[in-house]
Amino acid sequence: MVAEVQTVRGPVDVGQLGTTLMHEHVFVLTPDVMQNYGHEWWDEQERVTDAVSKLRALKAVGVDTIVDPTVVGLGRYIPRVQAVAAQVDINIITATGLYTFDEIPHYFHYRGPGTLFDGPELMVEMFVRDIRDGIGGTVVRAAFLKCVVEEAGLTPDQTRVQAAICEAHQQTGVPITVHTNAAHQTGRLALSFYEQRGVDVTKVVVGHAGDSNDLDYLKWIMDKGATIGCDRFGLDMFNPTPDRVRTIAALCEQGYADRIVLSHDAACYMDFMSGEASQALLRQAMPNWNFLHISQDVLPALRNEGVTDEQIDTMLVDNPRRYFTSAS
Ligand SMILES: [Zn+2]
């Protein structure tokens, strides 16, 4: 049993992870846009300072670790995350993988088995290198794999990504978090694919499953041994908090607390929604979409619905620790 997990500041004993939010972003950015238009609005120092203050506030309400599934496709840039991590007393766990809903970037089109230039699957090489050696020339190593199975399902390109994820998982033993579309129940596609490829699905978090209140769907995932990500608290447009809370309470009552993790899918800064006008609209439409919502509002609501402190610890501490305890 490997008892250490890689974080931005180096390895940490899994027993020290403490209260862990399993799906939060430090920065979500669009590098092409930033490089060409960012001079109009991007201030590096301001953004780092802002991220530091948001993560310090999160630590102050008792969160010890965030798991950041920002990968290629979401503007991952580790030196900026390192600058933040150096100033906060919170563990940040980073990922490798590819965030795309249907097609892979053109960079990959002509390289890899059966393509114009053929050769080995470079996605596997990239993912494994990030996990074993470090990301982008830094010493920061990825501790899990992140990918997507969206409404479009397992398109040919997406199948190639998923196969690369499975291969990297098998070579390294690190767990997987897959972004899914709960309305289309794409967790079924993802888990079935992983099972066919021999992935240990107890090492899979089906991200965004908590956007659904369909207990049959959620239990189908958990009965296979996978974990559901109830990881968009505050994103009321997908599922309002009271409904998310009732669903989790019902599942806890039926004995599923050991297959549930909690988070917001929030970011210190996300350029999808940057700009004062968008921010104002967002605050109005989804006032609770921030790092503090679970600690301040959701946990009391869960307790009101009969969820015990022990079950809350299971979801926030034990399940993340188990997920990052590698068998390899
Ligand atoms: Zn996310």
Side-chain angles (χ1 to χ4, degrees):
M1 295 286 268
V2 176
E4 277 184 344
V5 58
Q6 297 295 325
T7 76
V8 174
R9 289 191 308 222
V12 167
D13 188 305
V14 289
Q16 301 298 312
L17 292 177
T19 296
T20 302
L21 298 181
M22 283 285 280
H23 191 128
E24 308 292 352
H25 301 270
V26 182
F27 298 107
V28 174
L29 298 166
T30 315
D32 273 7
V33 174
M34 263 184 82
Q35 283 159 21
N36 289 283
Y37 305 99
H39 63 283
E40 293 169 6
W41 44 265
W42 179 263
D43 181 330
E44 183 80 19
Q45 191 49 51
E46 186 186 343
R47 292 274 62 90
V48 169
T49 303
D50 174 70
V52 167
S53 88
K54 284 173 176 158
L55 293 178
R56 283 182 180 162
L58 183 57
K59 178 72 185 187
V61 297
V63 172
D64 305 299
T65 302
I66 61 166
V67 177
D68 182 347
T70 307
V71 292
V72 168
L74 288 170
R76 183 185 67 178
Y77 183 60
I78 294 298
R80 186 176 294 120
V81 180
Q82 285 179 295
V84 173
Q87 300 177 62
V88 296
D89 183 20
I90 203 165
N91 302 308
I92 303 172
I93 296 178
T94 60
T96 185
L98 183 62
Y99 182 87
T100 182
F101 277 26
D102 44 20
E103 292 188 338
I104 51 176
H106 287 98
Y107 181 86
F108 298 100
H109 267 280
Y110 304 108
R111 311 171 210 224
T115 64
L116 182 63
F117 302 134
D118 211 21
E121 178 51 84
L122 76 164
M123 281 185 238
V124 174
E125 296 178 347
M126 288 171 162
F127 300 161
V128 170
R129 199 186 315 148
D130 285 353
I131 293 162
R132 290 199 175 140
D133 304 332
I135 301 168
T138 72
V139 296
V140 175
R141 290 162 59 187
F144 68 112
L145 289 148
K146 162 73 182 296
C147 55
V148 174
V149 179
E150 251 296 335
E151 187 176 347
L154 295 171
T155 61
D157 274 8
Q158 191 60 265
T159 301
R160 189 176 151 191
V161 179
Q162 298 304 320
I165 291 282
C166 291
E167 177 63 30
H169 163 82
Q170 267 147 354
Q171 285 188 27
T172 63
V174 304
I176 300 170
T177 289
V178 54
H179 160 124
T180 59
N181 184 313
H184 290 86
Q185 302 198 349
T186 59
R188 294 184 192 273
L189 287 177
L191 281 188
S192 300
F193 185 87
Y194 299 156
E195 280 184 327
Q196 282 166 23
R197 298 270 165 156
V199 168
D200 172 6
V201 296
T202 67
K203 288 294 173 189
V204 176
V205 166
V206 177
H208 313 326
D211 289 350
S212 171
N213 301 306
D214 180 337
L215 298 188
D216 289 339
Y217 172 55
L218 300 173
K219 289 197 274 189
W220 181 89
I221 294 169
M222 295 185 286
D223 287 340
K224 285 191 173 297
T227 297
I228 57 169
C230 294
D231 52 15
R232 278 177 160 173
F233 270 101
L235 273 169
D236 289 351
M237 66 180 179
F238 293 117
N239 195 8
T241 291
D243 294 344
R244 293 180 191 270
V245 164
R246 266 193 299 276
T247 294
I248 292 172
L251 292 171
C252 284
E253 201 185 346
Q254 294 175 47
Y256 285 96
D258 67 342
R259 286 290 177 269
I260 300 171
V261 292
L262 308 179
S263 218
H264 307 92
D265 197 9
C268 297
Y269 185 88
M270 178 182 283
D271 72 6
F272 299 5
M273 296 163 182
S274 59
E276 272 172 40
S278 328
Q279 284 296 308
L281 277 172
L282 202 62
R283 273 194 297 274
Q284 203 176 12
M286 292 184 292
N288 294 320
W289 194 37
N290 65 73
F291 287 149
L292 307 182
H293 181 44
I294 288 176
S295 303
Q296 294 180 336
D297 310 311
V298 173
L299 299 184
L302 285 169
R303 290 189 188 101
N304 262 342
E305 294 282 334
V307 176
T308 66
D309 285 342
E310 194 189 339
Q311 288 167 327
I312 287 172
D313 275 355
T314 298
M315 295 187 282
L316 287 175
V317 181
D318 300 343
N319 296 344
R321 182 180 59 221
R322 185 189 64 223
Y323 178 75
F324 286 111
T325 301
S326 169
S328 62

